[in-house]
Structure formats: C-alpha cells, structure tokens
C-alpha cells in the first residue's frame, strides 16, 4: 500500500493556465523568464513548469500601477 504525501493546499498553476489568464503567448512567458521578469517557477523533472498560485498572485499584485 502506498501512502500519499500530505497536501499543502497550495495549488500549482500550469504554464498554459498562466498564459491563458494573462492572454500572452507561451514564448512571451519564456522571454520574461529569461529576463527575470516572470514569477518564480518550479521546473519539474520532465521539464514542465508550475507556479504556485500564491507566488503568481503576489507577482501580479507587485505589478499594479499605484499612481
């Protein structure tokens, strides 16, 4: 019998979900990532990328125009 790992309750978003939400191309996200402008990512062993929802929301909050 396999025991499941405890869940932290922290949802991970796929790159497709983030690109859809921001209405950007995948290449734009990779460009931002290369320039250090994308949210902090988790790179899985298969090369897929995930972003914690809390990190994504914090990243969006920091981009609000406060003028």
């Amino acid at each position: 019998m396999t025991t499941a790992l405890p869940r932290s309750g922290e949802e991970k978003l796929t790159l497709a979900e983030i690109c859809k939400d921001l209405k950007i191309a995948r290449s734009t996200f990779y460009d931002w990532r290369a320039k250090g402008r994308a949210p902090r990512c988790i790179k899985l062993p298969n090369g897929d990328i995930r972003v914690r929802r809390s990190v994504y929301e914090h990243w969006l909050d920091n981009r609000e125009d406060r003028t």
Side-chain angles (χ1 to χ4, degrees):
M1 177 179 248
T2 308
T3 16
L5 295 172
R7 292 185 169 237
S8 66
E10 179 69 49
E11 182 183 5
K12 276 61 165 195
L13 302 171
T14 65
L15 183 54
E17 290 171 324
I18 290 173
C19 290
K20 182 178 178 183
D21 185 54
L22 296 174
K23 297 178 177 63
I24 60 169
R26 183 178 287 254
S27 60
T28 300
F29 185 88
Y30 280 118
D31 183 50
W32 290 352
R33 191 164 183 241
K35 293 176 181 175
R37 296 181 181 163
R40 196 176 54 214
C41 299
I42 300 166
K43 189 169 186 178
L44 302 178
N46 65 358
D48 286 353
I49 292 175
R50 299 288 186 274
V51 177
R52 286 183 179 88
R53 179 173 289 281
S54 61
V55 169
Y56 177 60
E57 289 175 356
H58 180 74
W59 178 82
L60 284 176
D61 288 345
N62 286 335
R63 267 133 200 88
E64 283 185 17
D65 187 6
R66 298 172 195 241
T67 57

